Amino acid sequence: MVSLEGLVAVAAVLTSLALLAGRLWAGRLAEPGGWREEEEEGVSFITEDGSGRCRLLCKPSALAQHLVRSLGRSTALWGGHWPWPRWPRLQMLQQLLQPPSPVPAVARELLQLPDTGLVALDWLVGPWGVTGGGGGGPSPVLLLIPNATGKVTGGLLQLGLRALERGFIPVIFNRRGHNGCPLTTPRLQPFGDPGDLREAVTYLRCRHPTASLLAVSEGSGSGLLLAYLGERGSSSHLAAAACLSPVFRGRDWFEAGMPWLYEWPLLLHLKQGLSRYAGSLAEALDVDRVLGSRSLRELEEALFCRTKSRPTSWEAYWERNEPLRDADEAAVPVLCLCSTDDPVRGPPARSLPLELFRSSPYFFLLLTPRGGHCGFPRGDPGRCWGHEAVLEYFRAMGEFLRAEERRKGLLRSRRLGGPTGEPPVFTWQRSYTR
């Protein structure tokens, strides 16, 4: 018996192939991302096979110099040869629909929140039934945040597998009511409300007190991570973060609309999950309006603006939920991996906050001309060079932090005239980003 989601996936693939072939035949397959301003600045990375052509845009600092050196020595930016480099929508569908290989095993843990709501933490234990770790010292914990609809894509699972192979402990954060997480309160998590994520991070910190805690988000799920980093500042408990094809401006993104090949499957996926809780949601929402929504914007308004108890306007909702509303307070290094041909985020001229990367010492933009939305395909089937770049970034950040800890410990020992002890727990300070 084929599931509804499986039929939707097959229909989307067949329709997209027909649409793309028709546009190519008619000679109208334009290449998105014609804006060239972002290509005039930043540090360029040209790989030996010519496939990388990435640029790193950031404020000059010691941390930035270390990252440039690490990425320059690494092969992580080698994209390989993708047979359809100018078809970002096809790359997007591959990322959205292709299952990982091998399929990882998952151990679910439910975390109860102060209002008795639940979020689910899915620990990836690999297809072999073993967790990450091993080697010297505690293994870093990698928190994976799916897109805003809760869809755990094959790409996100593939990133978890790559991290598991390299000794990380990957865990997926599932919002209330998403991905089979029970909905015990008539309340869902708004687009940029980091309250539930804050509770999950606090729990992970208590469970692994000596391990580095890292986070990576995918697509529209980056709105949640960016909002969390801005709200928490230096108290985020994270050592570093990364965003794959992030959505920076939530309101503009919803109002502009997305390619229906992306929006339709995600809309059906979200409605299918919400329909399980129609009875419990009826006391707080107009369920008929929710399930009858024809776009992600209509659904967002029905869920969070047109509530029965506390209705609000669309403008007021985004004043509280824009991802970058507190970006100036962020105090954790964040790598944002973007492509100029991203058909979901929108044109670079209006969707990339370049001034943020020019002025903040904590935000790094790794920009590539092609890669689609969370695609960044390699020559090997199912491989994504974006995953390799993110893991290399985390390795470089760990190396930088350890070097700073040793330097601080040595300076303290020289001042006190005694032997060096165990390095103190590292906390980010603005002096390290000058």
Side-chain angles (χ1 to χ4, degrees), residues 93-104 153-155 157-158 161 382:
L93 285 173
Q94 183 199 41
Q95 179 272 343
L96 188 64
L97 302 174
Q98 180 177 346
S101 178
V103 178
T153 64
L157 290 174
Q158 199 70 50
L161 283 175

Side-chain angles (χ1 to χ4, degrees), residues 347-371:
R350 65 174 175 81
S351 63
L352 290 179
L354 294 185
E355 188 55 39
L356 175 66
F357 297 99
R358 297 187 185 110
S359 60
S360 173
Y362 296 103
F363 284 88
F364 302 85
L365 175 63
L366 187 59
L367 193 62
T368 177
R370 298 190 182 95

Side-chain angles (χ1 to χ4, degrees), residues 48-106:
E48 292 182 4
D49 62 354
S51 60
R53 300 190 302 277
C54 297
R55 301 188 71 86
L56 183 68
L57 175 62
C58 58
K59 184 177 181 179
S61 66
L63 178 60
Q65 292 174 4
H66 178 79
L67 184 57
V68 168
R69 288 194 299 269
S70 297
L71 291 177
R73 293 192 302 260
S74 172
T75 60
L77 303 186
W78 291 32
H81 298 285
W82 170 248
W84 303 288
R86 297 179 184 271
W87 286 19
R89 288 177 175 82
L90 191 58
Q91 299 176 22
M92 172 189 70
L93 285 173
Q94 183 199 41
Q95 179 272 343
L96 188 64
L97 302 174
Q98 180 177 346
S101 178
V103 178
V106 172

Side-chain angles (χ1 to χ4, degrees), residues 8-284:
V8 169
V10 172
V13 171
L14 294 177
T15 306
S16 64
L17 290 175
L19 179 62
L20 289 170
R23 293 183 66 189
L24 184 62
W25 179 265
R28 296 194 299 269
L29 190 60
E31 180 181 355
W35 183 57
R36 299 300 178 189
E37 178 184 349
E38 77 284 351
E39 296 183 1
E40 301 301 324
E41 56 183 317
V43 179
S44 178
F45 296 95
I46 306 294
T47 63
E48 292 182 4
D49 62 354
S51 60
R53 300 190 302 277
C54 297
R55 301 188 71 86
L56 183 68
L57 175 62
C58 58
K59 184 177 181 179
S61 66
L63 178 60
Q65 292 174 4
H66 178 79
L67 184 57
V68 168
R69 288 194 299 269
S70 297
L71 291 177
R73 293 192 302 260
S74 172
T75 60
L77 303 186
W78 291 32
H81 298 285
W82 170 248
W84 303 288
R86 297 179 184 271
W87 286 19
R89 288 177 175 82
L90 191 58
Q91 299 176 22
M92 172 189 70
L93 285 173
Q94 183 199 41
Q95 179 272 343
L96 188 64
L97 302 174
Q98 180 177 346
S101 178
V103 178
V106 172
R108 169 157 291 191
E109 184 176 14
L110 296 176
L111 177 63
Q112 188 172 48
L113 305 172
D115 67 347
T116 71
L118 295 176
V119 294
L121 298 175
D122 289 340
W123 299 87
L124 271 64
V125 295
W128 320 277
V130 296
T131 57
S139 299
V141 177
L142 180 60
L143 182 62
L144 304 168
I145 302 176
N147 60 44
T149 67
K151 173 68 175 177
V152 179
T153 64
L156 192 68
L157 290 174
Q158 199 70 50
L159 173 58
L161 283 175
R162 298 283 81 77
L164 191 66
E165 292 172 354
R166 299 193 183 187
F168 292 80
I169 303 176
V171 54
I172 300 173
F173 171 77
N174 298 284
R175 310 185 197 204
R176 304 175 186 224
H178 284 188
N179 195 25
C181 178
L183 187 64
T184 57
T185 60
R187 177 181 178 273
L188 297 167
Q189 188 173 12
F191 185 85
D193 178 6
D196 292 354
L197 180 61
R198 180 175 62 247
E199 297 293 331
V201 170
T202 301
Y203 169 74
L204 293 175
R205 182 67 172 174
C206 293
R207 179 167 174 173
H208 296 273
T210 61
S212 296
L213 184 56
L214 311 166
V216 59
S217 56
E218 188 178 65
S220 54
S222 299
L224 183 61
L225 179 57
L226 292 171
Y228 172 79
L229 293 173
E231 179 188 272
R232 301 299 293 167
S234 59
S235 303
S236 69
H237 298 308
L238 297 178
C243 302
L244 285 167
S245 298
V247 172
F248 295 103
R249 298 184 171 100
R251 180 177 178 178
D252 291 347
W253 183 68
F254 275 99
E255 291 178 352
M258 287 145 279
W260 67 270
L261 291 171
Y262 181 81
E263 186 169 22
W264 183 47
L266 291 181
L267 185 63
L268 289 181
H269 170 78
L270 193 51
K271 284 184 181 180
Q272 187 178 37
L274 291 172
S275 65
R276 299 174 52 193
Y277 309 110
S280 59
L281 289 173
E283 62 183 83

Side-chain angles (χ1 to χ4, degrees), residues 240-421:
C243 302
L244 285 167
S245 298
V247 172
F248 295 103
R249 298 184 171 100
R251 180 177 178 178
D252 291 347
W253 183 68
F254 275 99
E255 291 178 352
M258 287 145 279
W260 67 270
L261 291 171
Y262 181 81
E263 186 169 22
W264 183 47
L266 291 181
L267 185 63
L268 289 181
H269 170 78
L270 193 51
K271 284 184 181 180
Q272 187 178 37
L274 291 172
S275 65
R276 299 174 52 193
Y277 309 110
S280 59
L281 289 173
E283 62 183 83
L285 304 170
D286 183 343
V287 176
D288 291 337
R289 180 188 291 270
V290 169
L291 298 181
S293 301
R294 294 170 295 179
S295 67
L296 288 176
R297 173 181 174 169
E298 288 185 18
L299 185 64
E300 194 78 4
E301 283 192 274
L303 287 174
F304 303 110
C305 297
R306 302 180 183 274
T307 60
K308 294 180 179 179
S309 58
R310 300 180 62 182
T312 187
S313 67
W314 184 246
E315 293 75 15
Y317 174 74
W318 285 110
E319 287 179 4
R320 299 189 301 270
N321 287 283
E322 273 293 352
L324 297 180
R325 62 187 183 275
D326 297 317
D328 290 342
E329 300 299 321
V332 169
V334 187
L335 178 71
C336 298
L337 178 55
C338 302
S339 65
T340 58
D341 69 347
D342 188 332
V344 174
R345 188 197 63 242
R350 65 174 175 81
S351 63
L352 290 179
L354 294 185
E355 188 55 39
L356 175 66
F357 297 99
R358 297 187 185 110
S359 60
S360 173
Y362 296 103
F363 284 88
F364 302 85
L365 175 63
L366 187 59
L367 193 62
T368 177
R370 298 190 182 95
H373 184 73
C374 301
F376 311 106
R378 298 191 72 141
D380 301 331
R383 291 280 182 163
C384 170
W385 69 259
H387 298 165
E388 305 301 323
V390 166
L391 294 176
E392 171 61 24
Y393 159 74
F394 286 140
R395 189 204 63 78
M397 287 298 101
E399 184 179 71
F400 182 82
L401 292 178
R402 289 189 294 272
E404 287 293 333
E405 288 176 349
R406 289 193 297 269
R407 185 181 66 84
K408 288 174 60 179
L410 180 60
L411 290 176
R412 183 179 295 104
S413 174
R414 287 176 177 174
R415 287 196 301 267
L416 297 177
T420 59

